[in-house]
Amino acid sequence: MAESTESPRLQFGLNSFGDVATDGGRPMDDAQSVRLLIDEAQLAESVGLDVFSVGEHYREDQVDSATPVLLAGIAQATRSIRVGTSVTVLSTQDPVRLYQEFATVDAIARGRTELVLGRASATESFGLFGYDIREYEALFEEKLDLFVRLMREDRVTWSGRYRSALEAVRLHPRMPEGGVPAWIGIGGSPDSVVRAARYGMPLMMAIIGGKPERFAGHAELYLRALRQFGHAEQPIAQHSLGLIAETDEQAAEIHWKYWEPVVTDLSRERGFYAPTRERYLQELDEGALFVGGVETVARKIARMVRVNHLSRFDLKYDLRHLPREVRETSIRLFGEEVAPRVREILADDDADWSLTGRPVAQITADGGPARAS
């Protein structure tokens, strides 16, 4: 991928985990929630956002378990926005089937499809599909190797521990040559950063708590490792949670009301501290929650773009039982006001990009995969 001499257009994406919304004070049912995601993807496209992504979860109050089906519906209902996954739990997927599903989605989307491949922080899929959680790391490594080979090679001969061997297999329908854009998602592990660099794949950093600046070291490690593995520079993106409203105060109050019970449940499940109002406000001020009015959120994103060397910023906009009208307002403000304001702030500051002193890498202009050339 040729190095650009101009600053590339920063991309903005929306991420959903299929969280069930409320409408008129009542939780929407699962079917309504699925259809709402398609409506919100259309809205995201209409306000100028670049990517709409859906996760993969298997919990009550989340409806994103059949991600390729959802994305096919979204692809059919949209024309220009890229459609992808905010996480695909590769460890509990069959890479052959995954290739076929996303080759099909990409055909429907006319080349607008991409994936974020991850090991999973929520592990329900392991028991659901009969995998041993003790093989968490080995499963991902083997399946990533096979999936990348399926995307990058015409015919694949392969053998491993977790599925039957392949002999000169050529799958159909075909992805474009080289596959679709596929990112490696990380939650903070340096090993995962190096793995992404080893495969020459773009890096998606899930930053959901604490100071986002601490991931600057991961970005630096990734760029250094890419060079050592002999790969071209690849894009770096950030996924974080947030909500945008007319004022900082309004956004903070609404988000706390729906964020606190979700995090309280997770704290009981995973054994970390329960959320407090004080810690919540610290996250808004210095941490990884992008909650506030347009100017507050835009300035925080612009700072992270510089510090973490970002090509793209993704906002995880939904929360369990968040009213649909609040979600809609957040999407509209993100696309119509926050994204242009971030670009304006960055354009006004002509300082060198952090870490490398040059513009960041990007997915190719035609939407092709960012991978080693």
Side-chain angles (χ1 to χ4, degrees):
M1 187 163 53
E3 186 176 304
S4 173
T5 58
E6 297 180 357
S7 181
R9 182 177 184 270
L10 176 67
Q11 293 187 328
F12 291 88
L14 281 176
N15 287 349
S16 170
F17 286 0
D19 290 299
V20 170
T22 55
D23 191 6
R26 302 177 64 178
M28 301 174 71
D29 65 32
D30 287 354
Q32 292 171 326
S33 299
V34 167
R35 293 192 293 271
L36 178 62
L37 285 177
I38 297 175
D39 292 342
E40 289 176 337
Q42 291 177 304
L43 175 60
E45 180 176 72
S46 74
V47 298
L49 292 169
D50 300 291
V51 190
F52 189 90
S53 302
V54 181
E56 180 193 342
H57 298 85
Y58 300 89
R59 291 170 170 263
E60 187 175 359
D61 291 326
Q62 291 179 313
V63 296
D64 60 341
S65 57
T67 314
V69 182
L70 259 171
L71 293 180
I74 290 170
Q76 189 67 15
T78 56
R79 291 294 175 265
S80 60
I81 195 168
R82 298 193 65 78
V83 295
T85 65
S86 48
V87 64
T88 291
V89 185
L90 184 58
S91 306
T92 55
Q93 294 273 358
D94 176 6
V96 171
R97 192 62 178 148
L98 190 68
Y99 176 99
Q100 293 166 328
E101 289 170 340
F102 278 87
T104 303
V105 173
D106 196 57
I108 295 169
R110 298 179 183 271
R112 292 183 284 129
T113 307
E114 56 185 66
L115 299 90
V116 174
L117 305 171
R119 296 180 298 172
S121 57
T123 58
E124 290 82 5
S125 62
F126 284 81
L128 188 62
F129 298 119
Y131 289 97
D132 189 341
I133 191 67
R134 293 173 297 181
E135 298 182 311
Y136 179 89
E137 186 73 24
L139 280 163
F140 184 78
E141 188 65 61
E142 179 177 296
K143 293 188 176 194
L144 178 62
D145 177 68
L146 176 55
F147 188 69
V148 170
R149 288 191 59 188
L150 291 169
M151 288 202 300
R152 295 181 180 176
E153 299 176 18
D154 186 59
R155 292 188 181 272
V156 174
T157 297
W158 177 93
S159 63
R161 293 172 56 194
Y162 300 108
R163 61 151 291 127
S164 56
L166 304 176
E167 182 67 35
V169 166
R170 190 173 193 269
L171 299 177
H172 295 277
R174 300 296 298 162
M175 285 184 178
E177 185 178 354
V180 302
W183 304 64
I184 297 294
I186 70 153
S189 165
D191 290 341
S192 297
V193 173
V194 173
R195 179 188 290 114
R198 175 158 50 90
Y199 281 97
M201 299 171 74
L203 184 70
M204 176 66 74
M205 304 188 299
I207 308 178
I208 59 174
K211 292 186 176 182
E213 296 92 330
R214 75 190 194 279
F215 277 74
H218 286 54
E220 187 172 10
L221 171 64
Y222 173 66
L223 295 171
R224 188 169 65 248
L226 280 170
R227 291 192 295 271
Q228 291 177 352
F229 285 116
H231 297 312
E233 185 174 325
Q234 303 294 305
I236 300 172
Q238 177 174 328
H239 152 104
S240 290
L241 284 60
L243 184 147
I244 306 156
E246 294 297 333
T247 67
D248 290 351
E249 295 75 18
Q250 183 184 26
E253 289 303 316
I254 295 172
H255 192 261
W256 168 256
K257 179 180 178 179
Y258 296 95
W259 179 86
E260 186 274 334
V262 170
V263 179
T264 296
D265 288 349
L266 287 174
S267 70
R268 295 183 185 129
E269 176 186 310
R270 302 184 185 182
F272 59 81
Y273 66 82
T276 66
R277 181 76 176 188
E278 180 183 10
R279 284 176 172 152
Y280 171 73
L281 293 176
Q282 287 176 345
E283 283 292 320
L284 267 57
D285 185 34
E286 301 177 348
L289 291 179
F290 288 73
V291 174
V294 168
E295 187 67 15
T296 295
V297 174
R299 289 197 171 277
K300 192 170 185 179
I301 292 173
R303 184 163 59 89
M304 289 305 100
V305 169
R306 293 290 190 190
V307 170
N308 288 336
H309 200 69
L310 303 181
S311 299
R312 175 172 144 192
F313 180 89
D314 282 6
L315 184 75
K316 199 272 187 183
Y317 70 96
D318 56 356
L319 275 170
R320 185 178 66 199
H321 297 164
L322 189 67
R324 65 178 299 171
E325 64 270 18
V326 173
R327 291 164 53 140
E328 178 180 344
T329 297
S330 195
I331 293 169
R332 288 189 182 279
L333 291 174
F334 187 50
E336 293 175 346
E337 299 191 36
V338 171
R341 181 62 182 135
V342 173
R343 294 187 178 111
E344 184 179 68
I345 292 168
L346 294 173
D348 287 343
D349 178 6
D350 60 0
D352 285 339
W353 289 80
S354 299
L355 303 181
T356 66
R358 64 178 184 272
V360 294
Q362 268 290 11
I363 297 289
T364 53
D366 62 358
R371 61 183 183 88
S373 53

